[in-house]
Amino acid sequence: MSLTTLLVFAGALFIAAATPGPSVAALVARVLSKGPRDVLPFIFGLWSGDAIWLTFAVAGLSAIATTFYHAFLVIKWLGVLYLLYLAWKMWFAKPDAEAETLPEAKSPGRLFLTGLAIALGNPKIMMFYVALLPSIIDIRSVSILGWVELVATLFLVLAVVDLSWTFLAAKARKFLKSPRAVQIANRASAGTMAGAAAAIAMR
């Protein structure tokens, strides 16, 4: 891949990824309620979902995404229901208790799969790779090495975006000292989670 092509891809991906959506909402809500510690498996799950959609697009498997539409539809609605469940738990969480936003830190596998399901079920991500990406780069000319370069660029861009959101959410969390502030943060996070679920469901 030429440097120009990779830069164009990186710029388009940065704009798409940095725009708040279901994935960012879930990440911020998790960090606000439990802090940034042990959030990496969840983030890796999100990145892996993006990489899978990128691979589909590069391999010319858009038709497969259409053929297995119902499978992705099931993933989408499972993600919606899980986000709503988490929103409900966070809304009614006691200020002095740990909010149950995502699986516990001692379950990195579940954290990873949760992030993966959110990314795979997010229509915004699917549309970027399956519909928009072919207009940014010539999919037919991408070699295996080119795919590796695209994936590496993807991880680099998403690392900048998601770790920045994590840092900002962690900074905001430091101001949550009183039980009242914790309750407000929990309910704000619950609203964010519910909003993310609605955003996925309506697309």
Side-chain angles (χ1 to χ4, degrees):
M1 302 291 293
S2 68
L3 179 60
T4 301
T5 300
L6 290 176
L7 289 176
V8 170
F9 169 67
L13 178 60
F14 180 84
I15 293 173
T19 304
S23 298
V24 170
L27 174 61
V28 170
R30 198 275 180 185
V31 176
L32 281 176
S33 59
K34 288 213 170 192
R37 185 178 180 184
D38 300 312
V39 76
L40 285 181
F42 176 69
I43 292 178
F44 287 146
L46 294 176
W47 297 351
S48 296
D50 273 66
I52 288 173
W53 280 121
L54 171 63
T55 302
F56 275 5
V58 169
L61 299 181
S62 299
I64 288 184
T66 303
T67 303
F68 291 97
Y69 169 77
H70 295 291
F72 285 106
L73 196 62
V74 170
I75 294 174
K76 167 184 172 178
W77 285 104
L78 286 176
V80 168
L81 292 175
Y82 189 59
L83 287 175
L84 289 175
Y85 165 75
L86 296 178
W88 180 81
K89 294 288 289 184
M90 291 167 64
W91 185 271
F92 292 103
K94 295 180 180 179
D96 57 347
E98 287 288 331
E100 184 181 347
T101 54
L102 291 173
E104 294 294 335
K106 59 184 70 173
S107 304
R110 289 180 59 200
L111 278 168
F112 174 84
L113 291 176
T114 300
L116 181 64
I118 290 174
L120 289 179
N122 186 351
K124 172 187 172 184
I125 296 176
M126 179 186 73
M127 291 303 295
F128 175 81
Y129 291 107
V130 175
L132 183 60
L133 185 65
S135 67
I136 298 175
I137 62 176
D138 184 4
I139 296 296
R140 294 170 298 179
S141 66
V142 177
S143 63
I144 294 180
L145 178 58
W147 171 79
V148 172
E149 292 171 341
L150 286 172
V151 171
T153 303
L154 177 150
F155 277 100
L156 179 61
V157 171
L158 294 183
V160 172
V161 172
D162 289 339
L163 294 180
S164 295
W165 278 112
T166 299
F167 174 79
L168 292 174
K171 285 294 184 181
R173 188 174 186 267
K174 290 184 178 181
F175 293 101
L176 307 177
K177 301 298 183 182
S178 68
R180 177 61 177 167
V182 172
Q183 184 181 53
I184 292 174
N186 282 343
R187 294 193 171 181
S189 297
T192 303
M193 281 284 191
I200 292 177
M202 293 173 63
R203 294 178 179 176

